C-alpha cells in the first residue's frame, strides 16, 4: 500500500545508434552493372566511379590508382554518413531517381525495378527513416508521396554501405584525362 505514492522509474531508454540509421535494409536491389550503366550516362561517361557493395556510387576524379580511388570513395562515404546525410533526390530524364548527397556520393533508384517491388517499398518506407528522423514534406511530417518513398528506399543502400563499407568495383571512363 505504501508503494502507491512511490515515484515510478521510467523504463530504460534503448541505446541509440550513432549516427542514426534506418531499421529497414532492403534485400532486393538492381544489378550493379545496371547502376554503373545509368551512372555513366548521368556523368556523360567522363568520370570514374567507385561502386559499393549495395550500389552506392561515388563519382571520382579521373586518373586515380585503384588504391587512391578506393580510399577517396571510402572517405567520401564516411563524410556523408558521419554528418547529417541530407539527400537531394532528383527525377532524371530516363525516369529513374538520382539520390544525391555531398562529396559526389549517390544512389540510383531504377524506376522499373522499384515498380516491380512497389508493394514492399510502400509497406516499408517509414522504416527507411533513420532513428528519430523527421523529414518535412509538402504533405506533412514524415508523409511521403511515391517519389519520396522511392527516394527513401534508395537512401537505405547508402546507410547499408556506410555501415559496412566495401568498394567492389571501380568503373573507369574511356574519356582521356584532361590536364586542364
Amino acid at each position: 500500500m505504501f508503494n502507491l505514492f512511490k515515484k515510478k522509474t521510467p523504463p530504460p531508454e534503448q541505446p541509440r545508434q550513432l549516427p542514426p540509421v534506418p531499421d529497414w535494409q532492403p534485400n532486393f536491389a538492381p544489378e550493379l552493372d545496371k547502376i554503373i550503366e545509368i551512372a555513366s550516362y548521368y556523368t556523360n561517361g567522363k568520370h570514374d566511379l567507385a561502386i559499393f557493395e549495395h550500389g552506392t556510387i561515388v563519382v571520382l576524379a579521373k586518373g586515380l590508382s585503384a588504391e587512391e580511388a578506393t580510399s577517396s570513395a571510402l572517405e567520401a562515404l564516411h563524410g556523408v554518413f558521419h554528418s547529417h546525410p541530407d539527400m537531394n533526390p532528383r527525377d532524371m530524364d530516363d525516369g529513374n531517381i538520382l539520390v544525391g548527397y555531398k562529396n559526389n556520393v549517390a544512389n540510383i533508384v531504377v524506376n522499373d525495378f522499384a515498380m516491380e517491388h512497389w508493394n514492399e517499398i510502400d509497406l516499408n518506407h517509414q522504416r527507411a527513416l533513420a532513428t528519430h528522423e523527421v523529414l518535412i514534406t509538402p504533405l506533412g511530417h514524415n508523409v511521403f508521396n511515391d517519389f519520396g518513398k522511392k527516394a527513401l528506399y534508395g537512401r537505405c543502400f547508402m546507410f547499408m554501405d556506410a555501415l559496412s563499407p566495401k568498394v567492389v568495383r571501380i568503373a573507369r571512363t574511356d574519356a582521356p584525362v584532361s590536364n586542364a
Side-chain angles (χ1 to χ4, degrees):
M1 170 147 196
F2 293 105
N3 287 334
L4 287 175
F5 301 105
K6 186 176 180 181
K7 191 173 187 177
K8 294 182 181 181
T9 57
E13 192 173 311
Q14 295 293 326
R16 287 189 174 185
Q17 160 74 39
L18 292 175
V21 296
D23 177 51
W24 189 32
Q25 293 191 352
N27 61 0
F28 56 93
E31 295 292 323
L32 292 181
D33 287 338
K34 184 69 174 173
I35 297 294
I36 293 167
E37 174 188 324
I38 294 168
S40 294
Y41 167 70
Y42 292 164
T43 62
N44 295 317
K46 295 181 179 178
H47 296 276
D48 292 344
L49 305 168
I51 300 86
F52 285 85
E53 182 176 23
H54 300 287
T56 303
I57 59 169
V58 177
V59 179
L60 301 167
K62 290 181 62 168
L64 298 176
S65 70
E67 295 79 21
E68 291 169 328
T70 298
S71 177
S72 179
L74 290 167
E75 185 177 314
L77 183 57
H78 183 273
V80 170
F81 184 58
H82 289 282
S83 64
H84 195 279
D86 291 328
M87 67 174 172
N88 180 19
R90 293 180 290 208
D91 262 325
M92 302 304 283
D93 64 2
D94 59 358
N96 299 317
I97 298 172
L98 178 68
V99 182
Y101 317 93
K102 69 180 189 173
N103 301 341
N104 294 324
V105 176
N107 292 100
I108 295 171
V109 178
V110 179
N111 192 55
D112 292 342
F113 185 85
M115 295 314 296
E116 290 174 20
H117 299 276
W118 180 247
N119 288 340
E120 194 165 351
I121 292 170
D122 190 39
L123 182 66
N124 288 293
H125 75 277
Q126 288 290 324
R127 293 180 51 221
L129 292 166
T131 310
H132 304 293
E133 181 176 32
V134 177
L135 298 178
I136 301 169
T137 74
L139 300 174
H141 293 62
N142 291 344
V143 180
F144 303 96
N145 59 16
D146 291 352
F147 175 82
K149 292 173 185 180
K150 290 176 195 174
L152 286 168
Y153 158 71
R155 189 181 72 157
C156 284
F157 298 108
M158 182 278 297
F159 283 107
M160 292 165 64
D161 282 323
L163 287 170
S164 180
K166 184 190 301 182
V167 174
V168 294
R169 300 253 309 264
I170 303 295
R172 303 292 184 173
T173 179
D174 293 331
V177 176
S178 171
N179 291 333

